[in-house]
Amino acid sequence: MIPTMILFGLVFGHWWKSTLVAATLLWPALLLATGVISFDAQVLGAVLFGLANAGVGVGIHQGIAWTVRNLRSRHSPVASAPLS
């Protein structure tokens, strides 16, 4: 189930702050609803793991976006065209 939160971070990584907040709230709720954990000290661990796993996905998303932006700006035909 861990790849679920990584995928969540990858898909919604553009809105990284909201994604991390949502992951912090939704992951423990999902685990509680499915009966994987009980409502005690395990919830804090679920919150931290949800945040960390979504953070990995967001980091990958942001890294890819940063790379694409840099490649586009370097190879932009407008930037390299002579002025008339």
Side-chain angles (χ1 to χ4, degrees), residues 20-32:
L20 294 178
V21 170
T24 303
L25 299 174
L26 294 176
W27 182 245
L30 175 67
L31 293 179
L32 284 168

Side-chain angles (χ1 to χ4, degrees), residues 7 9 12 17 21 28 39 68-69 82:
L7 182 63
F12 297 108
K17 291 179 187 176
V21 170
F39 194 79
V68 168
R69 281 192 302 269

